Amino acid sequence: MQFGSLPTVGVDDLAPGDFLLDVREDDEWEAGHAEGALHIPMSEFVARYGELTEAAPEGGKVFVLCRVGGRSAQVAQYLLQQGIDAVNVAGGMQAWEAAGRPVADGRGGLGTVV
């Protein structure tokens, strides 16, 4: 699936071990996120870009998530322009939660998507 030239996948297309980048803001992340995802809020993304390049798998895909897919599409487009193989996750964390995938709160409990 594609939005224009932006590579896009649904939550069901994600496999265990895929590299996830969550670009939601801190309050959204703290309420609930995908375990193991890298969190860099969109509002801080350019300043913290180096964190992504250090953590992302060499030559691998970066699957970008937000709440529903708008912010992640913008970040994925930016990453593609930087030469990173980025893919937007359509539906974002709302689709993740709706698909029954685990949502963590970072304190060992169950999270929720806000």
Side-chain angles (χ1 to χ4, degrees):
M1 181 187 329
Q2 299 224 354
F3 285 129
S5 63
L6 182 63
T8 302
V9 298
V11 168
D12 292 341
D13 297 316
L14 296 172
D18 281 343
F19 185 84
L20 303 176
L21 170 65
D22 189 323
V23 298
R24 296 174 303 145
E25 296 304 312
D26 289 336
D27 61 325
E28 295 172 287
W29 169 264
E30 289 166 10
H33 56 268
E35 197 69 51
L38 175 65
H39 177 232
I40 304 176
M42 183 175 165
S43 62
E44 302 171 15
F45 193 77
V46 174
R48 294 176 58 188
Y49 177 73
E51 293 176 40
L52 172 68
T53 57
E54 287 179 23
E58 187 75 32
K61 289 188 185 305
V62 174
F63 294 91
V64 189
L65 286 156
C66 65
R67 183 168 179 256
V68 294
R71 289 173 284 179
S72 56
Q74 292 176 57
V75 172
Q77 191 67 54
Y78 173 81
L79 292 174
L80 289 167
Q81 292 167 354
Q82 308 308 309
I84 292 178
D85 190 2
V87 180
N88 185 42
V89 179
M93 284 302 297
Q94 283 189 334
W96 177 278
E97 186 176 49
R101 295 208 175 203
V103 178
D105 68 0
R107 297 179 295 279
L110 292 176
T112 188
V113 175
V114 296

